[in-house]
Amino acid sequence: MSDGDCNEGSTWEAIMFAAQHKLDNLIAIVDYNKIQALGKAEEIINLEPFAKKLKDFGWAVKEIDGHNFRQIEQALSVIPFEKSRPSFVIAHTVKGKGIGYLENTVASHYRCVEDEKLSATYKELGVEYEDGI
Ligand SMILES: [Mg+2]
């Protein structure tokens, strides 16, 4: 889920339910890019201290670099993180990572890569690109 989803009461209701019922076969992964549709998360509803809140609500928590596949694999290699607790992965990410004009911007929620910037964007990401594909 997104970090914006964690502003919703129904999410925290589910978080409390899962902990109360010791759902240790449940895993939640949050894309924690700290940007939401309307602005920076800290300016809208600050989730911090996010990990502490989740632990206080009864979850076992791991924090990882969400861009690092090895860390994702390692985080999910042993489930549950703790017996009788649901598992929560906070995956720290940067929205639009690697695309200079979109990286870590609120606009990246809405903007698509413009056609005239497509070739340069692929190049910036180190991806081979042929026009028209
Ligand atoms: Mg977000």
Side-chain angles (χ1 to χ4, degrees):
M1 68 182 116
S2 76
D3 45 11
D5 293 330
C6 294
N7 287 163
E8 297 182 15
S10 57
T11 299
W12 289 97
E13 181 181 349
I15 287 169
M16 288 189 289
F17 180 91
Q20 179 177 336
H21 295 283
K22 304 182 186 316
L23 303 183
D24 67 3
N25 62 345
L26 180 64
I27 307 162
I29 303 174
V30 165
D31 174 12
Y32 195 25
N33 56 35
K34 300 147 194 94
I35 293 177
Q36 302 173 14
L38 301 176
K40 301 279 185 181
E42 67 183 3
E43 296 167 356
I44 298 173
I45 297 179
N46 192 355
L47 292 170
E48 293 299 329
F50 196 21
K52 180 183 183 315
K53 288 176 185 170
L54 294 163
K55 290 174 185 173
D56 288 348
F57 274 70
W59 286 57
V61 179
K62 290 183 179 178
E63 294 190 69
I64 63 168
D65 173 352
H67 299 285
N68 185 316
F69 291 118
R70 184 172 301 276
Q71 286 189 26
I72 295 169
E73 181 180 26
Q74 287 175 342
L76 299 175
S77 63
V78 178
I79 302 294
F81 301 160
E82 294 179 32
K83 186 171 175 24
S84 302
R85 293 181 185 270
S87 302
F88 205 105
V89 177
I90 299 173
H92 293 272
T93 62
V94 175
K95 193 154 186 68
K97 184 177 174 72
I99 304 173
Y101 67 97
L102 288 179
E103 187 170 297
N104 205 28
T105 64
V106 174
S108 63
H109 254 282
Y110 308 103
R111 288 182 64 185
C112 298
V113 175
E114 298 147 13
D115 287 344
E116 59 273 14
K117 292 182 178 178
L118 197 54
S119 178
T121 299
Y122 275 112
K123 187 174 182 182
E124 191 174 359
L125 292 171
V127 176
E128 286 189 36
Y129 170 77
E130 285 184 44
D131 194 28
I133 296 178

